[in-house]
């Protein structure tokens, strides 16, 4: 089976960007900004539908960063200083953990009213290791403890999303593979065990998505991670890494470069994918962007989504 | 002995509505005129010629409005008593786009998110970079003609210019290199060296020939890729950029990995000062407990011999730090690096704050420097 979806946030449309800039300067009301969000969200959903994407998301247009819904809506944490988001010209507000983390209400608040009823819905959440690594914790003072607590919160959140009707939960874990934040090999086994808590009792499909770094070590352990799919950034992971690995179920290949405006050639992508397919047995293969696409303009992202679709078609024909 | 704890703003200020609308041709409201008059009065500027200008449709209206806007910035900085001043970047659309749109080889692709509701216009390099039009010299000549205080010219550095662009031309040029990592690095090297040689050095020569004594090279993007190859690329480009010029150069870098940067700054030739961003990381209380600034020791341990303006105002909040908090930050830093090597600036440009907030913040910064001066002398 070959499918496709977008990973995380899509770019805001240029119209929405103009409106958010006006709002930020006090020249647009909150109501008018909401209208602009509605229009843009409909557009990103429509593009996903039109390109036959398997799991549709709301594009996360309102998310200021991967953690903000959590740092704003959970008890015990608040958004803190602005820091660089890995190796990008993008910044996030580091969650400051001052007290016991408590889930007060559903956190991620996906815009379900815009999602098509007859399609499968997908949502993206931060994975425990990335959350713990990128936060400033003055309460637990123990990364493992913080990860454990956050994993339980994620589990509750995922079950809420499951009840609402979501079919695919992507857990973003760039810190797990990024050059300066990745754990030592000896620590990995303990760290990935945390996914057992995250997905305990969860029936919908889940994915550990790694990006901005080399996933070789994660792929070696893929069969023991309590998720269905593993997502890999092919712009930071050598294709050799797929040799001899065992997967639980699916592989999500981040082969569309979400950080460069060059539009890929579907035929070139197909060649690379076919080579990887020779190395590893995959029940479910997804052709995806390597990371969130909000490093691009909306138009470029749209073009790349079409390349994704074309690549899948080429693979299916083959 | 040179004055201790000299003060400056990093670069940018917000643009008034009359500047933005006057430039774009949009309708200027009574509220905009009130703002113009309020700041004119506060800064002792005769606003009548500006109000007349706004009503006209003269061919040079845009450029004249820009000059007025720069005049407002200079007057504000001088009224506040900053030792070094400049245009508040009123002349420039924004630090990246201003340079790129004046070079050949680029195509703008649209707005890209930086954080929250802040964006930057990102271009793709689609052809070899070439110098097209002067982009800093007119601003410098005008500022030189109106400023009373000394000048520090902020310019955007080559590493940031390449990092904030999509690299299409140089990447495609090296398509035959099959190893993607090698291809990327070679493409980036060719890109950055063309930016230095073709884009920046010709303008540096003009600035220095016209009398610029201090150029601050803004490089917010360095440490974006925390690996040896990229950091060495930044150092190589810096050294190539400043080579042979008789001028003082300093580096501004913010929201960055200072432990990493500290390992490389000693390799920068002619880098007399570092302007950094530590207030964002510091606590808000008066007192001697300021561990955020301890990372300055890494620069010292790595042998950096220049001065520091480590950032004493958080630019991403409207909260106004008191003069006493700023005093304590300054004294803490002076204890680490020495009072003679401590300069006073905000973390970054204040363009994300209103003029009222920027004014109040800078006013307290100047007061804080004065309080610190009294204590150490």
């Amino acid at each position: 089976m070959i499918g496709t979806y977008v990973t995380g946030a899509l770019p805001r449309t240029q119209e929405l960007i103009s409106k958010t800039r006006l709002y930020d300067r006090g020249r647009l009301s909150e109501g008018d900004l909401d209208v602009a969000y509605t229009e843009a969200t409909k557009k990103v959903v429509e593009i996903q539908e039109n390109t036959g994407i398997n799991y549709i998301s709301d594009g996360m247009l309102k998310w200021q960063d991967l953690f903000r819904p959590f740092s704003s809506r959970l008890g015990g944490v608040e958004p803190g200083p602005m820091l660089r988001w890995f190796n990008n010209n993008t910044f996030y507000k580091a969650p400051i953990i001052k007290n016991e983390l408590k889930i007060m209400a559903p956190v991620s608040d996906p815009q379900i009213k815009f999602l098509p009823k007859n399609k499968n819905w997908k949502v993206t959440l931060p994975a425990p290791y990335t959350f713990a690594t990128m936060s400033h914790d003055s309460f637990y003072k123990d990364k493992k403890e913080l990860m454990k607590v956050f994993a339980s919160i994620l589990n509750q959140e995922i079950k809420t999303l499951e009840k609402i009707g979501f079919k695919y939960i992507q857990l973003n874990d760039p810190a797990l593979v990024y050059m300066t934040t990745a754990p030592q090999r000896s620590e990995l086994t303990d760290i990935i065990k945390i996914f057992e808590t995250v997905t305990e009792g969860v029936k919908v499909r889940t994915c550990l998505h790694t990006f901005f770094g080399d996933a070789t070590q994660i792929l070696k352990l893929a069969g023991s991670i309590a998720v269905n799919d593993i997502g890999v950034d092919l712009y930071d992971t050598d294709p050799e890494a797929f040799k001899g690995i065992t997967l639980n179920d699916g592989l999500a290949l981040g082969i569309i470069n979400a950080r460069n405006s060059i539009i890929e050639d579907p035929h070139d992508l197909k060649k690379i994918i076919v080579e990887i397919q020779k190395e590893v047995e995959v029940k479910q293969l997804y052709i995806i962007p390597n990371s969130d696409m909000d490093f691009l303009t909306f138009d470029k992202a749209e073009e790349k989504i079409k390349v994704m679709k074309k690549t899948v078609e080429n693979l299916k024909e083959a | 002995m040179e004055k201790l704890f000299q003060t400056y703003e990093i670069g940018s200020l917000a643009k008034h509505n009359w500047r933005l609308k006057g430039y774009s041709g949009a309708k200027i409201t009574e509220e905009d005129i009130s703002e113009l008059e309020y700041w004119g009065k506060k800064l002792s500027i005769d606003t009548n010629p500006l109000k007349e200008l706004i009503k006209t449709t003269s061919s040079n209206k845009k450029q004249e409005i820009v000059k007025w806007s720069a005049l407002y910035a200079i007057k504000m900085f001088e009224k506040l008593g900053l030792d070094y001043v400049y245009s508040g970047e009123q002349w420039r659309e924004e630090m990246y786009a201003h340079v790129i749109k004046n070079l050949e080889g680029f195509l703008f692709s649209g707005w890209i998110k930086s954080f929250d509701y802040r964006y930057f216009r990102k271009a793709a390099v689609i052809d070899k970079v070439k110098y097209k039009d002067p982009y800093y010299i007119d601003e410098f000549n005008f500022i030189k003609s109106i400023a009373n205080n000394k000048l520090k010219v902020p310019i955007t550095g080559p590493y940031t210019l390449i990092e904030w662009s999509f690299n299409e031309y140089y990447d495609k040029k090296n398509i035959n290199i099959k190893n993607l990592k090698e291809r990327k690095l070679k493409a980036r090297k060719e890109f950055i060296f063309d930016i230095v040689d073709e884009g920046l050095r010709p303008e540096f020569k003009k600035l220095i020939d016209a009398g610029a004594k201090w150029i601050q090279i803004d490089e917010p993007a360095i440490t974006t890729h925390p690996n040896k190859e990229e950091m060495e690329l930044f150092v190589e480009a810096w050294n190539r950029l400043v080579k042979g010029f008789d001028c003082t150069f300093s580096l501004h870098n913010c929201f960055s990995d200072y432990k990493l940067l500290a390992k490389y700054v000693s390799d920068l030739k002619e880098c007399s000062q570092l302007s950094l961003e530590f207030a964002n990381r510091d606590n808000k209380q008066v007192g001697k407990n300021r561990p955020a600034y301890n990372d300055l020791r890494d620069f010292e341990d790595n042998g950096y011999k220049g001065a520091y303006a480590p950032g004493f105002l958080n630019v991403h909040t409207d909260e106004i730090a008191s003069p006493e908090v700023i005093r304590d930050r300054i004294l803490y830093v002076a204890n680490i690096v020495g009072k003679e090597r401590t300069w006073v600036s905000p973390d970054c440009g204040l363009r994300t704050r209103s003029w009222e907030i920027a004014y109040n913040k800078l006013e307290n910064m100047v007061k804080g420097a004065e309080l610190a001066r009294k204590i150490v002398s």
Side-chain angles (χ1 to χ4, degrees):
Chain A
M1 291 287 287
I2 301 171
T4 183
Y5 56 74
V6 295
T7 49
L10 280 165
R12 291 172 180 152
T13 61
Q14 297 294 299
E15 295 81 3
L16 176 58
I17 287 173
S18 301
K19 295 286 168 65
T20 59
R21 295 180 78 215
L22 288 172
Y23 173 79
D24 199 40
R25 292 172 189 165
R27 294 184 205 155
L28 190 81
S29 70
E30 197 151 357
D32 286 341
L33 180 66
D34 267 344
V35 172
Y37 266 118
T38 297
E39 291 307 311
T41 306
K42 282 180 183 169
K43 199 167 176 180
V44 302
V45 168
E46 188 184 304
I47 284 165
Q48 293 174 79
E49 265 197 285
N50 291 347
T51 40
I53 277 178
N54 299 69
Y55 294 96
I56 311 271
S57 81
D58 67 0
M60 299 168 78
L61 302 183
K62 284 192 172 179
W63 288 46
Q64 300 293 30
D65 58 57
L66 181 63
F67 308 126
R68 199 70 60 87
F70 292 84
S71 56
S72 305
R73 294 179 193 143
L74 286 181
V77 57
E78 60 188 50
M82 209 171 66
L83 300 174
R84 186 178 295 285
W85 183 241
F86 299 94
N87 52 0
N88 302 290
N89 181 35
T90 303
F91 300 85
Y92 77 104
K93 289 191 174 170
I96 304 282
I97 295 148
K98 293 182 167 175
N99 218 319
E100 189 183 350
L101 290 184
K102 276 188 183 162
I103 194 159
M104 326 288 274
V107 182
S108 50
D109 191 26
Q111 306 292 294
I112 53 170
K113 61 186 169 190
F114 303 116
L115 295 174
K117 298 277 181 287
N118 57 342
K119 301 281 181 184
N120 291 325
W121 301 348
K122 170 177 176 287
V123 74
T124 300
L125 305 170
Y129 182 77
T130 289
F131 181 82
T133 303
M134 309 300 276
S135 298
H136 294 179
D137 171 26
S138 59
F139 180 75
Y140 296 99
K141 295 176 183 169
D142 179 284
K143 199 167 176 176
K144 277 186 190 166
E145 181 62 18
L146 173 57
M147 283 172 58
K148 215 169 115 184
V149 173
F150 191 70
S152 297
I153 284 172
L154 277 178
N155 183 257
Q156 288 181 64
E157 179 71 9
I158 291 169
K159 284 176 177 166
T160 304
L161 292 165
E162 198 175 52
K163 277 182 197 156
I164 296 170
F166 281 83
K167 301 291 187 207
Y168 199 101
I169 311 292
Q170 177 184 309
L171 297 154
N172 273 359
D173 218 347
L176 195 60
V177 293
Y178 184 65
M179 63 183 105
T180 60
T181 55
Q184 299 292 319
R185 276 185 213 182
S186 56
E187 300 170 307
L188 259 183
T189 313
D190 277 352
I191 288 169
I192 59 170
K193 209 169 162 52
I194 203 78
F195 286 97
E196 290 171 15
T197 305
V198 177
T199 60
E200 189 186 359
V202 171
K203 294 179 189 70
V204 295
R205 203 169 181 90
T206 53
C207 173
L208 160 61
H209 185 59
T210 64
F211 52 105
F212 300 156
D214 185 344
T216 303
Q217 297 307 322
I218 303 301
L219 286 170
K220 283 179 185 164
L221 299 168
S224 58
I225 305 175
V227 292
N228 299 93
D229 304 327
I230 301 288
V232 177
D233 180 346
L234 281 181
Y235 291 85
D236 276 300
T237 304
D238 197 313
E240 294 285 310
F242 296 96
K243 273 187 182 166
I245 62 161
T246 307
L247 298 166
N248 284 336
D249 193 347
L251 179 65
L253 287 178
I255 196 164
I256 300 291
N257 193 348
R259 297 197 285 176
N260 195 317
S261 57
I262 296 176
I263 301 299
E264 295 85 353
D265 179 341
H267 295 287
D268 288 344
L269 300 184
K270 182 184 151 188
K271 283 181 202 164
I272 297 168
I273 296 162
V274 167
E275 288 304 308
I276 292 171
Q277 282 178 310
K278 287 178 190 167
E279 302 294 344
V280 58
E281 190 185 330
V282 183
K283 291 177 197 156
Q284 176 69 50
L285 180 69
Y286 295 101
I287 307 306
I288 61 167
N290 55 341
S291 71
D292 302 77
M293 296 186 97
D294 57 355
F295 303 106
L296 299 164
T297 59
F298 185 82
D299 291 348
K300 286 284 180 187
E302 188 177 0
E303 277 187 74
K304 283 180 180 256
I305 290 171
K306 286 175 185 166
V307 170
M308 239 156 61
K309 180 196 177 189
K310 186 71 191 158
T311 307
V312 170
E313 284 171 1
N314 289 349
L315 284 164
K316 282 181 178 169
E317 281 169 18
Chain B
M1 184 182 160
E2 204 174 14
K3 182 182 175 186
L4 291 176
F5 308 141
Q6 294 194 63
T7 54
Y8 60 82
E9 208 266 347
I10 292 296
S12 62
L13 283 176
K15 294 185 179 83
H16 287 300
N17 278 346
W18 57 263
R19 153 68 174 84
L20 292 166
K21 292 179 183 175
Y23 193 85
S24 69
K27 191 172 182 291
I28 292 176
T29 64
E30 282 182 20
E31 197 183 338
D32 301 334
I33 296 293
S34 298
E35 187 186 34
L36 174 160
E37 287 174 335
Y38 170 80
W39 282 102
K41 191 175 172 192
K42 189 159 181 160
L43 303 173
S44 307
I45 296 169
D46 174 7
T47 56
N48 288 323
L50 174 56
K51 284 189 279 188
E52 285 304 311
L53 174 69
I54 280 170
K55 288 178 198 160
T56 69
T57 53
S58 65
S59 58
N60 63 346
K61 181 177 170 181
K62 278 187 173 186
Q63 201 48 48
E64 290 304 310
I65 281 179
V66 166
K67 286 181 180 174
W68 274 95
S69 188
L71 174 74
Y72 268 62
I74 288 284
K75 292 294 178 194
M76 172 161 140
F77 291 150
E78 291 188 340
K79 183 179 167 68
L80 286 163
L82 297 182
D83 296 292
Y84 284 81
V85 298
Y86 209 60
S87 66
E89 299 184 14
Q90 300 295 301
W91 213 274
R92 311 171 189 182
E93 176 187 331
E94 174 268 329
M95 64 181 289
Y96 165 78
H98 178 77
V99 182
I100 296 297
K101 73 183 181 188
N102 284 298
L103 297 177
E104 273 183 19
F106 289 91
L107 180 69
F108 277 97
S109 57
W111 296 98
I112 305 281
K113 191 167 112 175
S114 176
F115 64 94
D116 293 6
Y117 291 150
R118 303 285 168 174
Y119 308 86
F120 70 105
R121 279 212 302 149
K122 188 162 181 171
V125 63
I126 55 165
D127 206 343
K128 185 174 168 61
V129 176
K130 283 184 190 157
Y131 187 82
K132 187 171 63 177
D133 296 313
Y135 48 92
Y136 286 137
I137 187 65
D138 292 345
E139 175 192 43
F140 177 76
N141 284 331
F142 176 72
I143 298 298
K144 194 172 71 167
S145 74
I146 60 164
N148 295 313
N149 293 8
K150 290 174 281 187
L151 305 182
K152 171 184 65 77
V153 187
I155 68 99
T156 308
Y159 190 88
T160 297
L161 292 172
I162 71 152
E163 181 55 30
W164 291 2
S165 302
F166 293 119
N167 189 356
E168 295 194 8
Y169 171 73
Y170 297 93
D171 204 65
K172 284 178 188 165
K173 191 167 167 262
N174 288 289
I175 198 85
N176 291 330
I177 301 176
K178 295 296 173 202
N179 183 313
L180 293 179
K181 196 176 168 187
E182 272 177 32
R183 183 201 297 174
K184 186 179 163 191
L185 188 60
K186 182 146 190 291
R188 283 172 75 79
K189 271 193 176 180
E190 288 179 6
F191 186 13
I192 202 167
F193 294 154
D194 273 357
I195 285 275
V196 168
D197 298 342
E198 306 287 333
L200 290 171
R201 279 184 64 89
E203 197 70 357
F204 268 39
K205 185 169 186 327
K206 286 191 172 83
L207 283 171
I208 294 162
D209 287 349
K213 302 288 184 216
W214 179 0
I215 294 177
Q216 170 189 292
I217 300 173
D218 294 339
E219 286 281 29
I222 50 174
T223 79
T224 302
H225 301 277
N227 59 54
K228 191 168 173 278
E229 292 93 340
E230 288 287 329
M231 292 307 292
E232 286 176 352
L233 184 63
F234 152 64
V235 170
E236 201 176 344
W238 169 286
N239 290 340
R240 191 166 169 138
L241 177 61
V242 302
K243 191 176 179 184
F245 288 124
D246 180 17
C247 186
T248 294
F249 294 102
S250 63
L251 168 69
H252 169 58
N253 173 245
C254 50
F255 306 101
S256 190
D257 177 349
Y258 289 145
K259 286 196 180 298
L260 177 65
L261 179 62
K263 293 176 189 166
Y264 292 90
V265 284
S266 297
D267 297 333
L268 299 177
K269 291 180 180 155
E270 312 298 335
C271 181
S272 67
Q273 183 168 153
L274 303 174
S275 332
L276 306 169
E277 156 268 313
F278 277 98
N280 172 53
R281 309 166 192 221
D282 190 33
N283 65 62
K284 300 168 187 172
Q285 287 80 44
V286 172
K288 292 179 179 173
N289 180 34
R290 322 225 73 93
Y293 288 92
N294 288 345
D295 281 355
L296 285 171
R297 294 184 206 280
D298 292 320
F299 292 91
E300 290 293 282
D301 293 346
N302 280 284
Y304 182 67
K305 302 292 181 203
Y308 299 87
F312 294 116
L313 286 181
N314 183 348
V315 298
H316 285 301
T317 165
D318 280 351
E319 203 172 320
I320 312 288
S322 70
E324 290 74 22
V325 167
I326 293 164
R327 172 200 65 198
D328 290 348
R329 287 173 177 164
I330 295 169
L331 294 174
Y332 192 87
V333 169
N335 269 331
I336 297 173
V337 303
K339 60 187 178 186
E340 291 83 5
R341 296 167 70 204
T342 305
W343 290 58
V344 178
S345 73
D347 279 352
C348 187
L350 282 154
R351 67 192 281 260
T352 58
R353 299 301 105 194
S354 70
W355 269 51
E356 197 70 46
I357 295 289
Y359 187 94
N360 293 338
K361 278 177 175 273
L362 291 170
E363 187 175 42
N364 279 7
M365 186 183 84
V366 172
K367 285 179 185 168
E370 188 50 40
L371 290 176
R373 243 175 251 126
K374 280 181 185 161
I375 287 174
V376 298
S377 58

